[in-house]
Amino acid sequence: MRKTAFIAIVGRPNVGKSTLMNALLGEKVAIVSSKPQTTRNRIMGILTEGENQFVFLDTPGIHKAKNKLGNYMMKTVRSSMGSADAVILIADAGHAPGDIEKNICEKVKSEELPAMLVLNKIDLVNRETVAETIAQYAALYDFDAVVPVSALKEKNLSDVMEEAEKFLYEGDWFFDEDMITDQPEKQIAA
């Protein structure tokens, strides 16, 4: 029985959204850079495993828009969340939730979307800090799952996939089994 879901990956700039998606796919389909706002459009990453097809939507970092490009990027994020079956909020394990994360939690709550919190960069902080950050997020929203990871070092990614599998529903796949992204080859090569 085939299952699928569109899962939006959202969070502030430079928290590791593209790194997480690339690591989950095992392919580099999204550009990764230390420069904020590298991802300017939604990038789709498609992972087909057995009967399951995960469609990850890598989104621009959520920020306060200061120009037309910023407005466009935020519209892209809202559209991606609105069309998703579930959301992965990715946040820095060493930082308390800010207004951006609080707004995402409110949006997820109002849309009644299933959501997973992925706390990234655990390789840069101690366990106590991770535990404090989890508690701060738990006070904001009752996530379906909380998974501490290091996307860069590919630590705990199997836990993310195990939890993401719970978001899948029965239905036909939207993409061919061998498709991994909606990006043209030229973009991936760049």
Side-chain angles (χ1 to χ4, degrees):
M1 155 181 26
R2 289 186 169 191
K3 293 183 178 181
T4 191
F6 283 81
I7 304 170
I9 302 173
V10 300
R12 66 176 57 240
N14 280 45
V15 77
K17 295 176 299 299
S18 297
T19 303
L20 176 67
M21 187 175 79
N22 288 342
L24 292 174
L25 296 175
E27 299 269 348
K28 187 174 180 182
V29 298
I31 297 171
V32 176
S33 167
S34 59
K35 181 183 173 205
Q37 263 63 72
T38 301
T39 303
R40 295 183 174 187
N41 295 300
R42 184 202 72 208
I43 298 172
M44 194 177 300
I46 304 150
L47 178 63
T48 304
E49 292 184 328
E51 293 293 308
N52 298 333
Q53 187 172 80
F54 302 84
V55 183
F56 295 106
L57 306 173
D58 181 20
T59 61
I62 297 175
H63 64 285
K64 192 170 195 165
K66 297 178 182 171
N67 54 37
K68 286 183 181 181
L69 176 60
N71 287 331
Y72 168 78
M73 291 164 60
M74 292 308 87
K75 184 178 178 184
T76 299
V77 174
R78 287 190 300 275
S79 171
S80 295
M81 284 182 68
S83 64
D85 299 303
V87 170
I88 293 176
L89 168 57
I90 182 167
D92 192 312
H95 295 275
D99 289 340
I100 289 171
E101 291 81 10
K102 291 174 185 174
N103 289 337
I104 293 169
C105 289
E106 286 302 316
K107 175 79 171 161
V108 167
K109 197 180 299 184
S110 71
E111 298 283 329
E112 298 180 1
L113 288 168
M116 177 189 329
L117 174 64
V118 171
L119 290 177
N120 193 23
K121 305 180 184 183
I122 60 169
D123 52 312
L124 304 177
V125 295
N126 61 37
R127 289 177 185 238
E128 292 77 19
T129 301
V130 173
E132 288 170 21
T133 306
I134 290 172
Q136 291 167 337
Y137 276 95
L140 283 179
Y141 185 74
D142 185 21
F143 289 92
D144 292 87
V146 177
V147 183
V149 305
S150 171
L152 185 63
K153 300 199 178 200
E154 299 187 3
K155 185 172 182 178
N156 297 341
L157 297 182
S158 61
D159 296 339
V160 173
M161 290 305 300
E162 186 178 313
E163 294 299 332
E165 191 171 344
K166 296 173 185 175
F167 297 146
L168 300 178
Y169 60 89
E170 283 184 42
D172 288 332
W173 294 342
F174 291 93
F175 303 97
D176 291 337
E177 186 174 357
D178 60 347
M179 191 169 174
I180 61 165
T181 186
D182 63 341
Q183 299 299 297
E185 283 184 44
K186 187 176 180 179
Q187 179 72 27
I188 295 170

